[in-house]
């Protein structure tokens, strides 16, 4: 039973979606996702697949940084672990796609557990530096463990196969990456309705108080690192299947900054922020390409685009921290409230 916003059953209070309006919007969104690949061209399908991969990785980073309060600049390195794991398993054993992706997530999770060990002693800037050091170590491994990673030449990945069909186009790949990303989002949404997710939030808000209340900090910090890295590993595996060629330079430190920018711009500590931020930040380089293409510049545009993109990411972080620290998700919520009250506003 429900009257207004009051909830009278435990099941209703625990429901992810609790109104007919929400279910209606979900149905519209599902129809749009199904119809999109039949209406979009190859370029927009490419962007849609890339956005889905980035949403998965940004969600993982948001679990660690937004919900647990642990800053990490190693997300790209964990994606690399997942990507190389998928590439090796696909090339050597030819295992099913889902097995490879889960294995990539598991290897990245193991790396996350190891990198998360310093989190009990250090936090903030010092923890960020520790994760940068870990990413540099992994980059060294990717570059020099030639027998496994192929060294600087990298590895080539065969296209993913489902039921004997090669997912070798953006149209076909879309039908794998979008459902997996949705499952990752649903998993994260349900995580924070459990004891583990609430422990993460308690650690973020006041870790000393959380420890006094009986929350073992090391266990839950390591678990947060592990879950975040698992998401990054799966996203990295999808990245490998999508681009089908990986090198150590595929996962630079700037990619980690990209994902940190995404959750800051989108809104830390919210899944909607992960979605909006990853989508927005993925589209920024595409917009920059158009702008640079319009400018009367004779030099190669790609030489200009890389530093300009880094500058833009930095400006976005500074701008949102100053003017809208809650990110795009707060702008969306304010817009919702405005239209909800619009007929009665003075």
């Amino acid at each position: 039973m429900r009257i207004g916003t009051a909830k009278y059953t435990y099941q209703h209070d625990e429901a992810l979606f609790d109104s007919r309006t929400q279910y209606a919007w979900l149905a519209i969104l599902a129809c749009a996702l199904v119809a999109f690949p039949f209406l979009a061209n190859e370029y927009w399908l490419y962007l849609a697949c890339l956005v889905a991969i980035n949403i998965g990785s940004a969600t993982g980073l948001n679990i660690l940084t937004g919900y647990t309060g642990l800053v990490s600049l190693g997300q790209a390195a964990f994606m690399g672990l997942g990507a190389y794991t998928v590439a090796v398993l696909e090339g050597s054993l030819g295992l099913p796609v889902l097995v490879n992706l889960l294995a990539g997530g598991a290897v990245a999770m193991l790396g996350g557990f190891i990198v998360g060990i310093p989190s009990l002693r250090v936090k903030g800037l010092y923890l960020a530096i520790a994760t940068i050091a870990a990413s540099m170590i992994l980059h060294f491994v990717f570059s020099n463990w030639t027998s496994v990673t192929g060294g600087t030449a990298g590895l080539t990945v065969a296209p993913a196969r489902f039921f004997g069909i090669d997912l070798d186009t953006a149209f076909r790949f879309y039908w794998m990456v979008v459902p997996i990303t949705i499952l990752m989002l649903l998993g994260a949404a349900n995580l924070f309705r459990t004891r583990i997710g609430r422990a993460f939030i308690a650690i973020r808000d006041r870790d000393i108080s959380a420890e006094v209340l009986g929350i073992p900090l090391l266990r839950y910090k390591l678990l947060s690192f592990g879950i975040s890295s698992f998401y990054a590993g799966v996203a990295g595996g999808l990245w490998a299947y999508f681009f089908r060629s990986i090198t150590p330079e595929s996962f630079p430190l700037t990619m980690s900054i990209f994902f940190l920018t995404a959750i800051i711009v989108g809104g830390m500590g919210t899944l909607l922020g992960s979605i909006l931020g990853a989508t927005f930040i993925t589209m920024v380089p595409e917009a920059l390409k158009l702008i640079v293409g319009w400018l009367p510049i004779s030099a190669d545009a790609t030489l200009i685009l890389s530093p300009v993109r880094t500058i833009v990411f930095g400006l976005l972080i500074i701008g949102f921290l100053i003017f809208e620290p809650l990110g795009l998700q707060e702008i969306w919520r304010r817009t919702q409230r405005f239209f909800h009250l619009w007929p009665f506003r003075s």
Side-chain angles (χ1 to χ4, degrees):
M1 176 180 178
R2 181 175 186 241
I3 301 176
T5 59
K7 300 175 182 179
Y8 291 92
T9 66
Y10 178 78
Q11 290 78 9
H12 193 268
D13 186 55
E14 286 293 299
L16 276 176
F17 310 106
D18 59 1
S19 71
R20 292 181 180 178
T21 302
Q22 288 179 325
Y23 282 110
W25 280 112
L26 282 174
I28 293 172
L29 176 62
C31 292
L33 290 175
V34 171
F36 178 80
F38 297 102
L39 302 176
N41 58 27
E42 192 70 13
Y43 172 73
W44 285 105
L45 282 170
Y46 162 83
L47 285 181
C49 293
L50 187 59
V51 164
I53 294 170
N54 290 340
I55 287 174
S57 188
T59 300
L61 184 59
N62 218 345
I63 291 172
L64 180 65
T65 301
Y67 284 97
T68 317
L70 302 174
V71 180
S72 172
L73 285 171
Q75 195 73 352
F78 297 128
M79 286 184 67
L81 279 176
Y84 274 105
T85 301
V86 165
V88 171
L89 293 178
E90 181 68 41
S92 302
L93 303 177
L95 297 177
V97 172
L98 295 181
V99 174
N100 292 338
L101 290 175
L102 290 174
V107 171
M109 175 181 277
L110 179 60
F113 285 147
I114 297 172
V115 174
I117 291 175
S119 65
L120 185 63
R121 293 290 184 182
V122 297
K123 56 185 176 180
L125 177 62
Y126 299 101
L127 182 58
I129 293 174
T131 58
I132 292 175
S135 67
M136 293 175 67
I137 293 171
L138 287 173
H139 186 275
F140 178 83
V141 172
F142 297 154
S143 300
N144 293 277
W145 196 5
T146 309
S147 61
V148 175
T149 64
T152 55
L155 297 174
T156 301
V157 185
R161 289 178 64 87
F162 261 113
F163 303 107
I165 300 174
D166 286 338
L167 307 183
D168 52 359
T169 65
F171 176 85
R172 293 177 178 178
F173 191 79
Y174 177 93
W175 299 105
M176 179 179 78
V177 67
V178 171
I180 290 176
T181 301
I182 291 172
L183 287 176
M184 294 168 75
L185 287 169
L186 289 175
N190 282 283
L191 173 67
F192 296 103
R193 303 153 64 78
T194 66
R195 176 186 178 87
I196 295 173
R198 288 168 181 147
F200 290 168
I201 295 171
I203 292 171
R204 177 196 65 190
D205 292 341
R206 190 66 66 113
D207 56 351
I208 296 176
S209 299
E211 188 173 25
V212 170
L213 291 172
I215 296 174
L217 295 186
L218 180 59
R219 180 193 305 172
Y220 281 102
K221 284 184 177 181
L222 290 180
L223 187 57
S224 181
F225 262 100
I227 295 173
S228 173
S229 301
F230 178 85
Y231 272 64
V234 173
L238 291 170
W239 194 98
Y241 276 126
F242 185 48
F243 290 99
R244 296 172 54 189
S245 177
I246 55 175
T247 68
E249 303 307 320
S250 300
F251 306 99
L253 179 62
T254 52
M255 181 181 279
S256 296
I257 297 173
F258 170 94
F259 288 112
L260 185 61
T261 305
I263 64 171
I264 291 174
V265 169
M268 290 195 292
T270 65
L271 292 181
L272 179 60
S274 300
I275 298 170
L276 295 177
T279 303
F280 179 78
I281 295 300
T282 302
M283 301 305 296
V284 165
E286 302 304 317
L288 289 176
K289 287 180 184 178
L290 292 176
I291 295 172
V292 171
W294 291 335
L295 297 177
I297 301 174
S298 58
D300 187 357
T302 57
L303 298 177
I304 301 172
L305 188 60
S306 180
V308 168
R309 180 174 57 186
T310 304
I311 293 171
V312 169
F313 286 166
L315 291 175
L316 284 171
I317 291 175
I318 295 171
F320 272 87
L321 287 176
I322 295 174
F323 299 107
E324 189 53 83
L326 297 180
L328 293 172
Q329 63 88 23
E330 180 59 23
I331 296 175
W332 170 254
R333 295 191 190 283
R334 281 207 303 267
T335 304
Q336 282 184 311
R337 290 194 294 269
F338 173 83
F339 283 104
H340 181 68
L341 300 172
W342 173 72
F344 309 101
R345 293 178 68 90
S346 57

